[in-house]
Every structure is written in C-alpha cells, then in structure tokens.
C-alpha cells in the first residue's frame, strides 16, 4: 500500500507561488531549456506536482537543470 501522497497545485496557486501570469507559465512549459515540470491535465485544467515543483526550484537554485 502506497501511503505517499503528492499535493497537486492548480494553476492559480502555481502563479501565486512564483508571482507570474498564466502566459509566463505557458512560456516556461514551451522552453525546453528550463525543464519545467509538466502538469497533469484534468478537464482542461492544469495541476502540478508540488514535489516536482520543489525539486525544480532546488535545481534552479543550485544552477543545474532538473533530472
């Protein structure tokens, strides 16, 4: 039994976390060099794994791309 749960952030929460617009998030997704985590899409709404976002933040702070 897997007891690990990963919190999902809706787009609005992601934008508030980084202080950016929806268009900026779209640009990040299109920029392969950023290696920004891909969202889970449910009914045309996007949700990001908090764990993946935090890993991406740590890799950016360390100056290397996320794996």
């Amino acid at each position: 039994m897997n007891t690990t749960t990963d919190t999902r952030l809706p787009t609005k929460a992601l934008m508030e976390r980084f202080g950016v617009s929806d268009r900026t998030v779209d640009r990040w997704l299109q920029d392969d060099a950023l290696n920004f985590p891909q969202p889970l899409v449910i009914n045309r709404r996007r949700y990001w794994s908090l764990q993946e976002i935090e890993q991406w933040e740590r890799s950016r702070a360390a100056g290397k791309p996320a794996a």
Side-chain angles (χ1 to χ4, degrees), residues 24-43:
T24 297
V25 174
D26 290 340
R27 287 184 185 118
W28 289 354
L29 288 169
Q30 293 173 2
D31 187 347
D32 292 335
L34 282 179
N35 203 19
F36 193 70
Q38 295 297 307
L40 171 65
V41 179
I42 302 173
N43 292 330

Side-chain angles (χ1 to χ4, degrees), residues 23-24 31 42 44 48 50 54 57 65:
R23 183 65 186 122
T24 297
D31 187 347
I42 302 173
R44 295 185 296 165
W48 279 265
L50 179 59
E54 289 174 342
E57 288 174 318

